[in-house]
């Protein structure tokens, strides 16, 4: 049954392609195959979750390819981690698909959109279930291409097309690391299977190739982490995610907030046994995560595009998850991943609802006054914002608290994480006030109306999850910890950290309310010192470094090699031809036009050649030949 | 030993059927364009069916040549008519017949001088098939060179603006390369005469004498010289850096069918040559040449990618991408690991499918717009959604996206390169493999760039606004490729299984010491599923000559052939249990 979880959406996508895309039928019915299939996948995921809870982990596989001692299989590894992730992915996917029926209505690519969504759901569920690294890599690439297709969905404009390409190429740099890591593991263990690798590592039976054991167990997790850095948009490969906001907003919610970008975090959790063995690797993950969280949060402070704020927030929260994973373990990271998936999907969908109502206006400065016009969207956004800010009793409070508590081990990282929490609370307050409070600041905003039920119902359901999602791992019960790390002691509740974290969040909100509560029309962050403001709104100049530096250098390099090819390599050959021509002219006297003479010369030459070769072969010319 | 003539068989039919078709085309009146097309299509389809028949009778379990045909020709010189197929050639035969049939189908777009065009296309098919089934070196050489002539005319008459330059360059390059090969062949025949007293150009005879160590008798220098005589010819054909410069010109200027066949089949003659000649015949020197050849492969991968990325002409871009892709083939083959060799050989087919299809697709748009410059395109997806979707699938296969055939071949080639270099075999450094892996990213860069330039963004030119999407027959034509893209990506074992035994034999011929080398003439030797050389019930050559059903190779357990004690080097080579 488990194998149908990823297969159903793929079949539905194929069906959609044949029945609707080919026939250019963009009616609402085109959404149904994928929605029904994802619904069925969700039901199966629930069954799978219960089965894991009752019977423990399960594995199934069939051989795919065997050459000599190389063998690759397709299979699933259903354990607590994958069962949890299945539930997150399938449920968010379903809600986003339902939302999209309303959001994408009337688009001339409606059917195509749903075919892509089905394909993505399939690849993502496959990635979650994969029992071996080759299949992980395969699905990893497939979700990447779905992301490419969906970012560039509105291909007629240049910006989405550029963003799609940028996303695919930047993440592929990370993928190279993952690929190398997988190959190093295979070369050492001669297996791709995650469970087998885990056993080998834990029993200390993995004999590294090429590197010493110490270096191997540092390099391999770091290579795998490089893949995660690309996919989960961590510094320095985070630049693609904000651009990816060019895609339709439901895509941003599903792929670029809740699921695919979290795949990097999931991967680290999946292969945590590798990271566990290397303090260096864990330190790197923690610092990259912590720094990314900080970097992205500072940039989010000054963004004026509602989706860009959320995009940087996502990067920041993914960094948080990495930090939590590295310092607190699988359950800590995965807890935040799960709660974040719901409230960030909620925030994006709500933003989508706003954008839809405002006729594709995304600039916060031209919104305002939407609270009265779109009460449902406004209230649900508030729920998502409070969850993201980490306010009691919303889901984010519980999962963030665990990360903060585990960050206590490193004072510097703890300070960083606390600062991020404060900034997060502030920029979400700013976002809410700019969008919903005050008076409309544009024509579109003043005509906005609440969205249809297709969009409303998913918002309400996600808002409920944002409110109560913390229940899956409340302190004391710690059901998630028990599921993911059965060997670990249930943790207590660190009161000082919780109170401190909450205080910082409330302080951030208070500053936001103070600055924006009275007059949201004036964007208070512009009053920051000029240099700082410019630095932040230029995203720390990292994008400029890539575009002006790396990309241009690459193009220049290509042009140089092409010049070399045209003018040097090719001319060397022409030189040889020219020499031949010269010799030919010298011998031109032979061209007397008598065929018999030509034939005789030809025959003579052939004889001489054969004789030379014969002599060479027998060694008579041994001294002459090299 | 006097061999009995087997007479002509199914392979001869396969090779000469297109020739017959060409003769028939030549008999028709010059104006009957429709008749030329129908005849060409019928002949190529019939040839494809014959190749399927050959495949139906093909046994993947043995490394030996099958359906062997032997007809005495010049006994004094040891030159005979000798054909056969094995796991290395069988897929290339099918690729050739398939691509030629599809090219003939596409060639309804050819309006000028259809009679000559179709005749050349059919002649070309005979020559290509001849290359892949010849077991006599002179016969091989004849077909190898014969393939140049029709291709030369296809480019020179029906090509683009710079067709005269491109066709001459193509001819001179490949011709110059194969001169060295001819010299090498004569040398081999002469050495055979020294070892046995009779001249022979038979590949099986020569390989047999190589296997028992008598042919080279330890002459390492000569062996290296003759190896490179062959290698140069094949490197030009592949093509590998720095001998590749004929390719962008020829690919770009050739008419669509020419580009498809050039990329799809003609380049494979180079890599096929490596597998057929360079690995089995020079066992004492191959390992020493591996670093050089792998370096050329890796340079090709990176160099081709870098140059592709800045081309303003879509056909040139795809042409340079071929240099990169063929680098993976070469790298896989010369990793000399089972995985890498299967990957390299498989990548040959994938490149034929994906690049062949790319040239076909470019041909379809060229027929509508008569330009190859990116500057003239942009936003095509809005006008031609079906074309865009098919192009996307093929482009992703070329990128090597998992799920498509391109991934499997590239991945296996890379695995082979990593395996060999991690073990520091043949003096390979892991950097070779790491750089090759970086080429996987670069492929995404230039191919996505290509797709974006052509299909995304606003439509800028008036002509593009009037474009019509593909016609049903054009869709059907491309769909054939799409089927293979997914088939090869999802169920690769269909394609890799039949080639494994022969590739494994080639590997053992290249690496094993005397006494442990497989032998093309010794029918008592087989390779068992574990990759070990075993002695089996002797079968007669006649048994191999009859196509269907000579049964699975059965290896009775007690008949395991006790070979000489493996040396330390070969013990390392044995796959781990």
């Amino acid at each position: 049954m488990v194998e149908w979880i990823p297969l159903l959406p793929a079949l539905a996508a194929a069906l959609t392609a044949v029945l609707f895309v080919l026939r250019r039928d963009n009616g609402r019915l085109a959404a149904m195959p994928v929605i029904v299939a994802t619904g069925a996948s969700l039901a199966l995921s629930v069954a799978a979750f219960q089965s894991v809870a009752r019977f423990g982990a399960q594995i199934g596989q069939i051989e795919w390819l065997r050459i000599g001692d190389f063998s690759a299989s397709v299979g699933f590894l259903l354990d607590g981690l994958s069962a949890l992730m299945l539930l997150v992915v399938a449920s968010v996917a379903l809600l986003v698909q339902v939302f999209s029926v309303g959001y994408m209505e009337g688009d001339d690519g409606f059917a195509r959109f749903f075919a892509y969504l089905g394909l993505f759901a399939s690849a993502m569920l496959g990635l979650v279930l994969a029992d071996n690294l080759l299949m992980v890599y395969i699905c990893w690439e497939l979700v990447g291409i779905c992301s490419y297709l969906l970012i560039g969905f509105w291909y007629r404009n240049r910006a989405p097309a550029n963003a799609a390409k940028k996303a695919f190429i930047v993440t592929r740099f990370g993928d190279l690391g993952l690929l190398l890591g997988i190959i190093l593991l295979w070369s050492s263990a001669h297996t791709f299977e995650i469970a087998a690798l885990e056993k080998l590592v834990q029993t200390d039976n993995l004999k590294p190739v090429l590197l010493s054991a110490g270096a191997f167990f540092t390099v391999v997790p770091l290579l795998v982490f490089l893949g995660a850095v690309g996919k989960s948009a961590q510094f320095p490969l985070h630049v693609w995610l904000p651009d990816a906001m060019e895609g339709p907003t439901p895509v941003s919610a599903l792929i670029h907030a809740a699921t695919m970008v979290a795949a990097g975090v999931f991967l680290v959790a999946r292969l945590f046994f590798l990271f566990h063995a290397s303090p260096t690797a864990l330190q790197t993950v923690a610092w990259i995560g912590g720094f990314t969280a900080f970097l992205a949060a500072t940039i989010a402070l000054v963004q004026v595009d509602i989706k860009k704020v959320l995009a940087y927030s996502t990067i920041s929260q993914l960094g948080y998850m990495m930090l939590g994973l590295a310092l607190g373990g699988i359950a800590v990271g995965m807890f935040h991943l799960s709660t974040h998936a719901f409230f960030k999907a909620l925030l994006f969908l709500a933003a989508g609802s706003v954008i839809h109502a405002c006729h594709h206006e995304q600039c916060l400065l031209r919104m305002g006054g939407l609270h009265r016009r779109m009460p449902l969207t406004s209230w649900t956004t508030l729920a998502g914002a409070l969850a993201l800010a980490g306010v009691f009793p919303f889901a984010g409070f519980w999962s963030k608290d665990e990360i903060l508590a585990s960050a206590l081990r490193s004072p510097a990282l703890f300070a960083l994480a606390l600062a991020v929490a404060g900034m997060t609370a502030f920029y979400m307050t700013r976002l809410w006030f700019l969008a919903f409070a005050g008076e409309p600041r544009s024509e579109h905003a003043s005509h906005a109306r609440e969205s249809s039920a297709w969009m409303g119902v998913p918002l309400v359901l996600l808002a409920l999850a944002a409110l109560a999602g913390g229940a899956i791992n409340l302190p004391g019960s710690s059901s998630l910890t028990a599921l993911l790390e059965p060997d670990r002691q249930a943790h207590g509740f660190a009161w000082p950290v919780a109170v401190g974290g909450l205080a910082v969040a409330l302080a951030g909100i208070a500053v936001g309310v103070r600055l924006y509560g009275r007059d949201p029309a004036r964007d208070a962050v512009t009053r920051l010192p000029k240099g700082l403001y410019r630095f932040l709104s230029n995203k720390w100049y990292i994008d400029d470094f890539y575009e002006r530096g790396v990309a241009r250098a690459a193009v220049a390099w290509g042009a140089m090699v092409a010049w070399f090819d045209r003018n040097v390599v090719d001319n060397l050959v022409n030189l040889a031809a020219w020499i031949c021509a010269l010799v030919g002219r010298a011998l031109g006297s032979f061209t007397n036009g008598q065929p018999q003479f030509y034939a005789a010369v030809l025959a003579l030459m052939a004889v001489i050649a054969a004789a030379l070769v014969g002599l060479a072969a027998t060694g008579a010319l041994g001294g002459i030949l090299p | 030993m006097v061999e009995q003539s087997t007479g002509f068989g199914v392979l001869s039919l396969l090779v000469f059927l297109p020739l017959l078709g060409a003769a028939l085309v030549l008999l028709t009146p010059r104006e009957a364009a429709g008749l030329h097309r129908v005849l060409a299509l019928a002949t190529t389809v019939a040839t494809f069916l014959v190749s399927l028949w050959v495949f139906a009778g093909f046994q993947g379990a043995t490394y030996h040549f099958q359906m062997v045909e032997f007809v005495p020709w010049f006994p004094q010189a040891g030159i005979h008519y000798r054909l056969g197929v094995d796991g290395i050639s069988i897929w290339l035969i099918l690729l050739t017949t398939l691509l030629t049939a599809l090219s003939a189908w596409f060639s309804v777009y050819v309006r000028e001088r259809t009679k000559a065009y179709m005749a050349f296309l059919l002649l070309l098919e005979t020559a290509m098939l001849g290359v892949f089934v010849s077991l006599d070196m002179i016969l091989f050489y004849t077909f190898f060179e014969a393939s140049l002539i029709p291709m030369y005319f296809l480019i020179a008459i029906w090509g683009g603006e710079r067709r005269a330059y491109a066709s001459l360059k193509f001819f001179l390059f490949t011709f110059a390369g194969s001169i060295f090969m001819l010299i090498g062949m004569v040398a081999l025949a002469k050495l055979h005469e020294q070892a046995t007293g009779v001249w022979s150009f038979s590949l099986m005879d020569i390989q047999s004498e190589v296997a028992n160590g008598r042919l080279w008798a330890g002459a390492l220098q000569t062996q290296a010289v003759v190896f490179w005589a062959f290698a140069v010819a094949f490197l030009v054909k592949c093509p590998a850096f720095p001998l590749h410069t004929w390719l962008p010109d020829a690919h770009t200027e050739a008419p669509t069918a020419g580009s498809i066949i050039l990329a799809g089949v003609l380049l494979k003659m180079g890599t096929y040559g490596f597998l057929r000649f360079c690995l089995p015949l020079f066992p004492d020197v191959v390992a020493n040449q591996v670093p050089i050849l792998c370096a050329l492969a890796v340079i090709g991968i990176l160099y081709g990618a870098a140059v592709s990325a800045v081309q303003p002409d879509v056909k040139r871009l795809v042409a340079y991408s071929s240099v990169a892709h063929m680098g993976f083939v070469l790298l896989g083959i010369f990793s000399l690991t089972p995985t890498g060799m299967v990957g390299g050989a498989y990548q040959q087919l994938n490149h034929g499918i994906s690049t062949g299809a790319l040239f076909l697709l470019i041909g379809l748009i060229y027929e509508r717009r008569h330009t190859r410059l990116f500057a003239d395109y942009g936003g095509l997806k809005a006008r031609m959604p079906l074309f865009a979707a098919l192009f996307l699938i093929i482009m992703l296969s070329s990128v090597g996206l998992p799920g498509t055939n391109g991934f499997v071949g590239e991945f296996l080639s890379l695995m082979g390169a990593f395996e060999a270099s991690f073990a520091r075999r043949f003096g390979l450094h892991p950097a070779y493999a790491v750089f090759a892996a970086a080429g996987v990213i670069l492929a995404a860069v230039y191919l996505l760039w290509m797709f974006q330039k052509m299909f995304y963004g606003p439509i800028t030119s008036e002509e593009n606004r009037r474009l019509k999407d593909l016609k049903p027959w054009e869709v059907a034509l491309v769909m054939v490729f799409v089927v293979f893209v997914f088939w090869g990506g999802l169920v690769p074992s269909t394609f890799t299984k039949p080639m494994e035994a022969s590739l494994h034999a080639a590997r053992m011929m290249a690496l094993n010491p005397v006494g442990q080398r497989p032998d093309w003439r010794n029918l008592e030797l087989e390779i068992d599923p574990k990759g070990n050389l075993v002695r089996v019930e002797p079968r007669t050559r006649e048994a191999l000559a009859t196509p269907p059903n000579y049964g699975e190779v059965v290896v009775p357990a007690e008949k395991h052939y006790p070979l000489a004690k493996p040396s330390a080097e070969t013990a390392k080579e044995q796959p781990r249990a």
Side-chain angles (χ1 to χ4, degrees):
Chain A
M1 286 304 272
V2 180
E3 64 273 17
W4 288 103
I5 296 174
L7 283 178
L8 283 174
L11 294 176
L15 195 70
T16 310
V18 174
L19 287 186
F20 297 97
V21 180
L22 278 182
R23 291 174 45 226
R24 312 245 158 86
D25 179 352
N26 286 312
R28 210 176 259 169
L29 208 58
M32 287 312 132
V34 169
I35 289 182
V36 169
T38 310
S41 288
L42 178 59
L44 286 173
S45 301
V46 172
F49 189 88
Q50 284 169 342
S51 145
V52 169
R54 280 178 62 193
F55 306 112
Q58 294 145 41
I59 289 182
Q61 57 183 220
I62 50 169
E63 187 169 88
W64 178 56
L65 183 62
R66 169 181 290 280
I67 295 156
D69 62 343
F70 171 91
S71 98
S73 56
V74 194
F76 63 83
L77 167 57
L78 187 66
D79 60 356
L81 182 63
S82 49
L84 170 73
M85 194 73 184
L86 279 183
L87 285 182
V88 172
V89 172
S91 53
V92 176
L94 182 63
L95 290 173
V96 167
Q97 287 164 4
V98 171
F99 181 91
S100 303
V101 176
Y103 190 86
M104 298 300 289
E105 195 164 19
D107 194 290
D108 67 352
F110 186 85
R112 184 165 57 96
F113 185 76
F114 276 89
Y116 289 166
L117 281 188
L119 199 61
F120 170 77
S122 172
M124 188 68 210
L125 292 166
L127 171 59
V128 169
L129 274 172
D131 77 321
N132 67 77
L133 290 173
L134 184 63
M135 196 175 148
V136 166
Y137 183 77
I138 288 175
C139 293
W140 188 263
E141 291 290 307
L142 289 179
V143 291
I145 202 67
C146 291
S147 161
Y148 168 79
L149 293 170
L150 284 163
I151 296 171
F153 186 76
W154 285 315
Y155 57 87
R156 287 185 186 87
N157 304 326
R158 284 189 207 286
N162 281 327
K165 190 182 60 171
K166 180 172 174 182
F168 193 75
I169 291 171
V170 171
T171 48
R172 251 203 165 197
F173 272 97
D175 296 352
L176 176 63
L178 176 61
L179 181 67
L180 293 178
I182 290 174
I183 289 179
L184 271 168
L185 278 173
W186 188 88
S187 307
S188 308
H190 280 242
T191 177
F192 288 118
E193 268 170 63
I194 294 167
L197 284 168
E198 183 167 9
K199 187 165 266 176
L200 283 174
V201 171
Q202 278 166 356
T203 56
D204 212 12
N205 275 325
L206 192 69
K207 297 281 169 279
V209 287
L210 199 64
L211 302 166
S212 68
F216 183 87
F217 285 111
T218 304
V219 168
V220 169
L222 285 179
L223 285 170
V224 170
F225 182 58
L226 188 58
V229 165
K231 215 48 141 198
S232 291
Q234 299 293 289
F235 174 82
L237 297 180
H238 63 280
V239 289
W240 65 270
L241 185 58
D243 288 34
M245 295 301 122
E246 292 291 344
T249 306
V251 170
S252 311
L254 175 62
I255 300 185
H256 304 119
T259 57
M260 187 192 81
V261 288
V265 179
F266 172 77
L267 181 73
V268 174
R270 194 31 124 195
L271 300 178
F272 201 70
F273 57 91
L274 287 174
F275 290 83
H276 204 63
S278 162
T280 318
L282 279 181
Q283 280 290 316
T284 314
V285 175
W287 275 100
I288 293 274
F291 178 70
T292 308
F294 181 77
L295 167 90
T298 60
I299 299 175
L301 294 176
V302 299
Q303 293 298 313
V304 291
D305 181 318
I306 185 168
K307 286 182 76 180
K308 288 276 166 75
V309 176
L310 293 176
Y312 280 105
S313 165
T314 303
I315 298 176
S316 175
Q317 295 301 308
L318 289 165
Y320 237 75
M321 293 172 210
M322 291 293 185
L323 181 69
L325 269 181
L327 298 179
I330 301 175
V332 174
M334 288 302 295
F335 185 24
H336 197 54
L337 185 156
S338 311
T339 58
H340 175 263
F342 290 104
F343 61 65
K344 191 50 76 58
L346 165 64
L347 285 167
F348 266 111
L349 291 186
S353 173
V354 167
I355 293 167
H356 194 68
C358 294
H359 295 92
H360 292 272
E361 178 58 66
Q362 295 187 200
C363 182
L364 285 165
L365 304 180
R366 285 196 287 276
M367 292 180 184
L370 296 177
H371 181 68
R372 247 171 305 135
R373 290 165 181 81
M374 309 176 69
L376 181 76
T377 307
S378 171
W379 284 114
T380 49
T381 306
L382 195 61
L386 290 173
L388 175 56
V391 173
F392 179 84
F394 288 88
F397 168 74
W398 304 102
S399 55
K400 229 175 219 187
D401 173 57
E402 292 205 3
I403 294 177
L404 285 172
S406 45
L408 270 177
R409 286 163 48 192
S410 157
L413 282 169
F414 181 74
L416 209 56
L418 218 50
V420 172
M423 284 189 280
T424 308
F426 171 77
Y427 65 66
M428 285 316 295
T429 314
R430 170 177 175 261
L431 180 144
W432 193 86
F433 274 97
L434 281 178
F436 295 101
E439 292 304 315
R441 292 184 294 274
S442 74
E443 191 72 359
H444 287 325
S446 59
H447 294 135
R449 281 189 19 237
E450 188 58 86
S451 308
S452 67
W454 285 106
M455 295 155 79
V457 171
L459 288 180
V460 172
L461 291 175
L462 284 168
L464 289 177
L467 180 64
I472 58 173
N473 202 30
L474 286 180
S477 82
S478 293
S479 36
L480 196 66
T481 316
L483 183 74
L484 298 179
E485 295 168 286
D487 312 332
R488 230 167 122 119
Q489 285 294 313
H491 59 102
F493 187 59
W495 278 104
V497 177
V499 172
L502 186 58
V504 168
L506 292 175
I509 294 174
V511 173
V513 174
R514 169 121 177 66
L515 290 177
Y516 290 88
R518 213 164 300 156
D519 182 15
R522 278 179 48 209
D523 189 8
V525 290
T526 52
R527 277 177 284 161
L528 283 169
K530 213 174 226 161
L532 180 64
Y533 181 74
R534 208 179 302 145
F535 182 66
L536 293 181
S537 52
N538 281 307
K539 313 156 203 166
W540 295 40
Y541 294 103
I542 296 170
D543 286 60
D544 291 273
F545 168 70
Y546 283 121
E547 271 151 38
R548 303 234 177 104
V550 179
R552 277 195 200 167
V555 171
W557 168 248
M560 210 174 79
V561 178
W563 180 90
F564 176 78
D565 192 60
R566 269 262 139 265
N567 295 294
V568 180
V569 181
D570 208 14
N571 275 350
L572 277 181
V573 178
N574 288 346
L575 182 73
W578 182 75
I579 292 173
C580 288
L582 209 66
V583 176
R585 220 169 298 141
L587 300 175
S589 46
F590 281 107
T591 47
N592 55 10
Q594 292 178 8
Q596 300 91 325
F597 178 73
Y598 291 159
V601 172
L602 208 61
L604 186 68
M605 288 299 172
V607 169
I608 292 174
L612 274 177
V613 167
L615 285 171
T618 54
L621 294 179
I624 300 168
L625 286 168
Chain B
M1 188 182 71
V2 179
E3 279 184 77
Q4 294 296 311
S5 166
T6 58
F8 298 103
V10 59
L11 292 181
S12 296
L13 176 67
L14 179 74
V15 173
F16 293 107
L17 193 59
L19 190 67
L20 183 72
L24 285 179
V25 168
L26 289 178
L27 290 176
T28 56
R30 185 187 298 193
E31 309 79 43
L35 188 59
H36 304 147
R37 289 186 193 123
V38 169
L39 265 177
L41 191 59
T43 312
T44 50
V45 169
T47 315
F48 177 61
L49 293 177
V50 174
S51 70
L52 284 183
W53 183 26
V54 170
F55 183 71
F58 180 81
Q59 295 289 324
T62 176
Y63 76 87
H64 283 289
F65 288 108
Q66 304 172 32
M67 298 166 224
V68 175
E69 294 175 22
F70 170 77
V71 178
W73 199 6
F74 297 122
Q76 303 84 348
I79 301 171
H80 300 287
Y81 180 84
R82 209 186 277 273
L83 308 180
V85 290
D86 71 347
I88 294 171
S89 55
I90 184 72
W91 286 113
L92 291 170
I93 291 169
L94 286 164
L95 183 72
T96 307
T97 54
L98 179 72
L99 287 184
T100 316
L102 295 175
S103 300
W105 189 358
F106 174 86
S107 297
V108 295
Y109 271 120
V110 175
R111 310 218 187 292
E112 290 162 33
R113 305 176 68 176
T114 46
K115 182 170 160 180
Y117 182 94
M118 299 300 167
F120 280 130
L121 193 65
L122 292 169
L123 278 177
L124 186 60
E125 184 171 25
T126 286
M128 293 186 297
L129 289 170
V131 165
F132 294 131
V133 297
S134 294
L135 300 184
D136 182 277
M137 292 194 298
I138 294 298
L139 203 58
F140 176 90
Y141 181 79
T142 312
F143 283 123
F144 196 83
E145 297 295 54
S147 71
L148 296 183
I149 298 159
M151 186 48 92
Y152 170 83
F153 283 111
L154 282 177
I155 300 174
I157 300 176
W158 292 271
E161 279 158 33
R162 296 171 66 234
R163 55 181 179 263
Y165 172 74
S167 56
L168 193 65
K169 194 170 179 180
F170 160 74
F171 192 91
L172 288 180
F173 260 74
T174 40
F175 189 72
S178 40
I179 291 287
F180 292 99
M181 178 171 75
L182 180 64
I183 297 172
M185 287 171 167
V186 176
L188 284 176
K190 170 69 188 157
L191 286 162
H192 187 270
E193 192 260 348
Q194 280 186 342
T196 63
V198 287
W199 282 76
S200 176
F201 282 88
S202 158
L203 258 178
M204 294 152 100
D205 290 348
I206 289 170
Q207 195 275 332
S208 187
E209 295 306 318
V210 169
N212 62 31
R214 284 200 293 178
L215 189 111
W216 292 114
L220 290 180
Q221 270 186 2
T222 325
Q223 201 175 151
V225 170
V226 181
F227 174 88
W228 278 103
F230 279 91
V232 164
F234 300 140
L235 284 174
V236 172
K237 206 84 181 181
C238 271
F241 176 87
L243 304 170
H244 64 276
T245 53
W246 64 269
L247 175 119
D249 287 313
H251 267 35
T252 311
E253 300 303 327
T256 298
S259 300
I260 296 172
I261 289 178
L262 199 55
V265 183
L266 257 60
L267 304 191
K268 310 310 176 299
M269 289 184 186
T271 41
Y272 171 77
F274 279 115
L275 287 168
R276 181 62 78 227
F277 292 89
C278 289
L279 293 188
L281 303 185
F282 308 92
D284 307 314
V285 298
V286 169
N288 291 333
Q289 318 304 329
V290 164
I292 304 174
L293 288 160
C294 283
L296 289 179
V298 174
I299 292 173
I301 292 170
L302 299 176
Y303 188 91
V307 182
S308 285
V310 295
Q311 295 302 319
D313 175 323
V314 58
K315 255 185 142 178
R316 277 193 97 80
L317 188 150
V318 176
Y320 275 108
S321 85
S322 283
V323 178
H325 281 113
M326 292 305 283
F328 277 105
V329 178
L330 214 54
L331 184 70
I333 290 175
F334 278 99
S335 72
L336 294 181
T337 57
T339 335
M341 289 180 69
V342 171
Y346 189 36
Q347 187 63 7
Q348 285 183 301
L349 304 182
N350 298 332
H351 177 260
I353 295 290
S354 62
T355 307
L358 275 179
F359 278 124
L360 170 71
L361 288 161
I362 294 168
L364 289 171
I365 190 75
Y366 185 82
E367 293 300 335
R368 287 164 168 73
R369 284 284 282 110
H370 296 283
T371 174
R372 299 184 307 252
L373 297 180
F374 287 118
D376 295 327
Y377 291 117
L380 294 188
K381 187 175 165 120
R383 292 297 307 152
M384 308 176 72
L386 206 53
F387 179 64
L390 295 170
F391 203 105
L392 181 72
I393 293 170
I394 300 294
M395 185 271 288
L396 291 175
S397 151
S398 194
V399 168
L401 187 81
T404 66
N405 56 354
F407 171 73
V408 183
E410 253 177 36
F411 184 76
L412 292 176
S413 299
L414 273 180
M415 287 297 293
F418 274 104
E419 193 185 334
S421 64
F422 280 166
R424 297 293 172 99
R425 251 178 256 158
F426 323 120
L428 284 180
H429 190 273
Y432 285 83
V434 173
F435 277 115
V440 176
I441 296 184
L442 296 175
V445 175
Y446 61 81
L447 287 166
L448 290 188
W449 186 83
M450 168 180 84
F451 191 75
Q452 184 184 353
K453 288 261 169 181
M454 289 188 70
F455 292 96
Y456 287 167
I459 298 183
T460 45
S461 93
E462 204 44 49
E463 285 108 314
N464 290 343
R465 230 179 284 282
R466 277 173 306 189
L467 279 173
K468 292 234 162 44
D469 210 341
L470 298 188
K471 300 172 191 123
W473 73 264
E474 293 172 324
V475 175
L477 187 53
V478 184
M479 280 309 288
V480 178
F481 288 96
V482 171
V483 165
F484 281 103
V485 162
F486 288 120
W487 189 353
L490 298 175
V491 200
S493 45
T494 317
F495 302 93
T496 55
K497 272 275 164 281
M499 53 170 91
E500 263 182 72
S502 294
L503 285 170
H504 203 87
R507 176 170 175 270
M508 292 167 87
M509 289 170 185
L511 294 177
N512 282 6
V514 174
Q516 295 176 39
R517 292 177 188 156
D519 184 330
W520 274 330
R521 225 169 41 183
N522 185 349
L523 299 179
E524 285 184 1
L525 290 182
E526 270 303 346
I527 293 175
D528 73 3
K530 287 197 187 109
N532 300 317
L533 204 58
V534 290
R535 177 152 287 182
V536 294
E537 291 294 336
R539 286 189 317 276
T540 57
R541 201 164 282 293
E542 284 69 40
L544 286 171
T546 21
N549 295 331
Y550 62 88
E552 288 283 322
V553 177
V554 185
V555 184
E558 70 276 14
K559 283 233 166 189
H560 270 253
Y561 179 53
L563 296 163
K565 214 171 168 212
S567 66
E569 177 57 27
T570 45
K572 249 186 287 167
E573 296 292 326
Q574 295 301 324
R576 284 175 226 183

